[in-house]
Short mmCIF file of all heavy atoms in Angstrom, two decimals:
data_model
loop_
_atom_site.label_atom_id
_atom_site.label_comp_id
_atom_site.label_asym_id
_atom_site.label_seq_id
_atom_site.Cartn_x
_atom_site.Cartn_y
_atom_site.Cartn_z
N GLN Z 51 -20.50 -7.16 -31.21
CA GLN Z 51 -20.66 -6.84 -32.63
C GLN Z 51 -22.08 -6.43 -33.01
O GLN Z 51 -22.31 -5.99 -34.14
CB GLN Z 51 -20.24 -8.06 -33.47
CG GLN Z 51 -18.75 -8.36 -33.35
CD GLN Z 51 -18.36 -9.68 -33.99
OE1 GLN Z 51 -19.21 -10.47 -34.39
NE2 GLN Z 51 -17.05 -9.93 -34.09
N GLY Z 52 -23.02 -6.54 -32.07
CA GLY Z 52 -24.41 -6.23 -32.36
C GLY Z 52 -24.85 -4.88 -31.82
O GLY Z 52 -24.03 -4.07 -31.33
N PRO Z 53 -26.16 -4.61 -31.86
CA PRO Z 53 -26.70 -3.32 -31.39
C PRO Z 53 -26.40 -3.05 -29.91
O PRO Z 53 -26.16 -1.91 -29.52
CB PRO Z 53 -28.21 -3.45 -31.62
CG PRO Z 53 -28.39 -4.59 -32.55
CD PRO Z 53 -27.19 -5.47 -32.42
N GLU Z 54 -26.44 -4.09 -29.08
CA GLU Z 54 -26.16 -3.90 -27.66
C GLU Z 54 -24.72 -3.44 -27.45
O GLU Z 54 -24.44 -2.57 -26.63
CB GLU Z 54 -26.43 -5.18 -26.87
CG GLU Z 54 -26.11 -5.10 -25.40
CD GLU Z 54 -27.00 -4.12 -24.61
OE1 GLU Z 54 -27.89 -3.48 -25.20
OE2 GLU Z 54 -26.80 -4.01 -23.39
N GLY Z 55 -23.80 -4.02 -28.21
CA GLY Z 55 -22.41 -3.61 -28.13
C GLY Z 55 -22.23 -2.16 -28.54
O GLY Z 55 -21.47 -1.41 -27.92
N GLU Z 56 -22.94 -1.73 -29.57
CA GLU Z 56 -22.87 -0.34 -30.01
C GLU Z 56 -23.42 0.60 -28.94
O GLU Z 56 -22.88 1.68 -28.71
CB GLU Z 56 -23.63 -0.15 -31.33
CG GLU Z 56 -22.86 -0.60 -32.55
CD GLU Z 56 -21.50 0.09 -32.66
OE1 GLU Z 56 -21.45 1.34 -32.61
OE2 GLU Z 56 -20.49 -0.63 -32.79
N ARG Z 57 -24.51 0.18 -28.30
CA ARG Z 57 -25.10 1.00 -27.22
C ARG Z 57 -24.12 1.16 -26.07
O ARG Z 57 -23.90 2.27 -25.56
CB ARG Z 57 -26.40 0.36 -26.73
CG ARG Z 57 -27.14 1.19 -25.68
CD ARG Z 57 -28.35 0.44 -25.15
NE ARG Z 57 -27.98 -0.63 -24.23
CZ ARG Z 57 -27.69 -0.46 -22.94
NH1 ARG Z 57 -27.71 0.75 -22.40
NH2 ARG Z 57 -27.37 -1.49 -22.18
N LEU Z 58 -23.50 0.04 -25.67
CA LEU Z 58 -22.55 0.08 -24.56
C LEU Z 58 -21.32 0.90 -24.93
O LEU Z 58 -20.84 1.71 -24.12
CB LEU Z 58 -22.14 -1.33 -24.16
CG LEU Z 58 -23.25 -2.24 -23.61
CD1 LEU Z 58 -22.72 -3.64 -23.36
CD2 LEU Z 58 -23.87 -1.66 -22.36
N TRP Z 59 -20.82 0.73 -26.13
CA TRP Z 59 -19.65 1.49 -26.59
C TRP Z 59 -19.96 2.98 -26.59
O TRP Z 59 -19.15 3.80 -26.18
CB TRP Z 59 -19.20 0.99 -27.96
CG TRP Z 59 -18.31 1.91 -28.72
CD1 TRP Z 59 -18.52 2.41 -29.97
CD2 TRP Z 59 -17.05 2.45 -28.30
NE1 TRP Z 59 -17.48 3.21 -30.36
CE2 TRP Z 59 -16.55 3.25 -29.35
CE3 TRP Z 59 -16.29 2.34 -27.14
CZ2 TRP Z 59 -15.35 3.94 -29.28
CZ3 TRP Z 59 -15.08 3.03 -27.06
CH2 TRP Z 59 -14.62 3.82 -28.11
N GLY Z 60 -21.16 3.35 -27.04
CA GLY Z 60 -21.55 4.75 -27.06
C GLY Z 60 -21.55 5.35 -25.66
O GLY Z 60 -21.09 6.49 -25.46
N TYR Z 61 -22.03 4.59 -24.68
CA TYR Z 61 -22.03 5.08 -23.29
C TYR Z 61 -20.62 5.35 -22.82
O TYR Z 61 -20.31 6.43 -22.29
CB TYR Z 61 -22.72 4.07 -22.36
CG TYR Z 61 -22.47 4.38 -20.91
CD1 TYR Z 61 -23.21 5.35 -20.25
CD2 TYR Z 61 -21.46 3.73 -20.20
CE1 TYR Z 61 -22.98 5.66 -18.92
CE2 TYR Z 61 -21.22 4.03 -18.87
CZ TYR Z 61 -21.97 4.99 -18.24
OH TYR Z 61 -21.73 5.30 -16.91
N TRP Z 62 -19.72 4.37 -22.98
CA TRP Z 62 -18.36 4.52 -22.46
C TRP Z 62 -17.58 5.60 -23.21
O TRP Z 62 -16.79 6.33 -22.63
CB TRP Z 62 -17.62 3.18 -22.51
CG TRP Z 62 -18.12 2.23 -21.47
CD1 TRP Z 62 -18.84 1.09 -21.67
CD2 TRP Z 62 -18.00 2.37 -20.06
NE1 TRP Z 62 -19.16 0.51 -20.47
CE2 TRP Z 62 -18.65 1.27 -19.46
CE3 TRP Z 62 -17.40 3.32 -19.22
CZ2 TRP Z 62 -18.71 1.09 -18.08
CZ3 TRP Z 62 -17.46 3.14 -17.84
CH2 TRP Z 62 -18.11 2.04 -17.29
N ARG Z 63 -17.82 5.72 -24.52
CA ARG Z 63 -17.14 6.76 -25.28
C ARG Z 63 -17.54 8.14 -24.76
O ARG Z 63 -16.69 9.01 -24.58
CB ARG Z 63 -17.50 6.62 -26.77
CG ARG Z 63 -16.70 7.52 -27.68
CD ARG Z 63 -17.02 7.26 -29.13
NE ARG Z 63 -18.44 7.40 -29.38
CZ ARG Z 63 -19.18 6.56 -30.09
NH1 ARG Z 63 -18.64 5.49 -30.63
NH2 ARG Z 63 -20.45 6.77 -30.27
N ARG Z 64 -18.84 8.33 -24.49
CA ARG Z 64 -19.30 9.62 -23.94
C ARG Z 64 -18.78 9.82 -22.52
O ARG Z 64 -18.36 10.92 -22.15
CB ARG Z 64 -20.84 9.70 -23.95
CG ARG Z 64 -21.46 9.81 -25.32
CD ARG Z 64 -22.95 10.04 -25.24
NE ARG Z 64 -23.66 9.02 -24.48
CZ ARG Z 64 -24.10 7.87 -24.99
NH1 ARG Z 64 -23.89 7.58 -26.26
NH2 ARG Z 64 -24.75 7.01 -24.22
N GLN Z 65 -18.83 8.77 -21.73
CA GLN Z 65 -18.44 8.86 -20.31
C GLN Z 65 -16.97 9.25 -20.14
O GLN Z 65 -16.62 9.96 -19.21
CB GLN Z 65 -18.73 7.52 -19.62
CG GLN Z 65 -18.51 7.50 -18.13
CD GLN Z 65 -19.57 8.26 -17.36
OE1 GLN Z 65 -20.50 8.83 -17.91
NE2 GLN Z 65 -19.44 8.27 -16.05
N LEU Z 66 -16.14 8.77 -21.05
CA LEU Z 66 -14.69 8.96 -20.88
C LEU Z 66 -14.10 9.98 -21.84
O LEU Z 66 -12.88 10.13 -21.90
CB LEU Z 66 -13.99 7.60 -21.04
CG LEU Z 66 -14.40 6.54 -20.01
CD1 LEU Z 66 -13.79 5.20 -20.36
CD2 LEU Z 66 -14.01 6.96 -18.60
N ALA Z 67 -14.94 10.70 -22.57
CA ALA Z 67 -14.46 11.64 -23.59
C ALA Z 67 -13.51 12.69 -23.00
O ALA Z 67 -12.53 13.05 -23.64
CB ALA Z 67 -15.65 12.32 -24.27
N ASP Z 68 -13.80 13.16 -21.79
CA ASP Z 68 -12.96 14.20 -21.20
C ASP Z 68 -12.08 13.66 -20.09
O ASP Z 68 -11.58 14.40 -19.26
CB ASP Z 68 -13.82 15.35 -20.65
CG ASP Z 68 -14.74 14.89 -19.52
OD1 ASP Z 68 -14.85 13.66 -19.30
OD2 ASP Z 68 -15.35 15.74 -18.86
N ALA Z 69 -11.89 12.35 -20.07
CA ALA Z 69 -11.16 11.73 -18.95
C ALA Z 69 -9.94 10.95 -19.42
O ALA Z 69 -9.50 10.03 -18.74
CB ALA Z 69 -12.10 10.81 -18.18
N LEU Z 70 -9.40 11.31 -20.58
CA LEU Z 70 -8.30 10.52 -21.12
C LEU Z 70 -6.92 11.12 -20.83
O LEU Z 70 -5.91 10.58 -21.22
CB LEU Z 70 -8.48 10.35 -22.63
CG LEU Z 70 -9.76 9.59 -23.02
CD1 LEU Z 70 -9.87 9.48 -24.53
CD2 LEU Z 70 -9.79 8.21 -22.39
N GLU Z 71 -6.90 12.27 -20.14
CA GLU Z 71 -5.63 12.85 -19.75
C GLU Z 71 -4.99 11.99 -18.66
O GLU Z 71 -5.67 11.58 -17.73
CB GLU Z 71 -5.83 14.28 -19.21
CG GLU Z 71 -6.26 15.28 -20.27
CD GLU Z 71 -5.17 15.55 -21.29
OE1 GLU Z 71 -4.00 15.67 -20.87
OE2 GLU Z 71 -5.49 15.60 -22.48
N PRO Z 72 -3.70 11.73 -18.76
CA PRO Z 72 -3.07 10.96 -17.67
C PRO Z 72 -3.10 11.77 -16.37
O PRO Z 72 -3.00 12.99 -16.38
CB PRO Z 72 -1.63 10.75 -18.16
CG PRO Z 72 -1.42 11.76 -19.22
CD PRO Z 72 -2.76 12.11 -19.81
N MET Z 73 -3.25 11.06 -15.26
CA MET Z 73 -3.25 11.72 -13.97
C MET Z 73 -1.82 12.12 -13.60
O MET Z 73 -0.90 11.30 -13.69
CB MET Z 73 -3.84 10.79 -12.90
CG MET Z 73 -5.26 11.14 -12.56
SD MET Z 73 -5.86 10.26 -11.13
CE MET Z 73 -6.53 8.82 -11.90
N GLU Z 74 -1.67 13.36 -13.22
CA GLU Z 74 -0.35 13.87 -12.85
C GLU Z 74 -0.20 13.81 -11.34
O GLU Z 74 -0.37 14.80 -10.64
CB GLU Z 74 -0.17 15.30 -13.36
CG GLU Z 74 -0.22 15.44 -14.87
CD GLU Z 74 0.92 14.70 -15.56
OE1 GLU Z 74 1.98 14.51 -14.93
OE2 GLU Z 74 0.73 14.31 -16.73
#
Side-chain angles (χ1 to χ4, degrees):
Q51 294 171 350
E54 177 66 0
E56 281 304 308
R57 184 185 75 82
L58 296 176
W59 162 236
Y61 167 81
W62 287 111
R63 189 176 56 225
R64 290 186 304 274
Q65 185 73 0
L66 299 172
D68 63 349
L70 298 179
E71 291 293 318
M73 259 190 270
E74 298 296 335

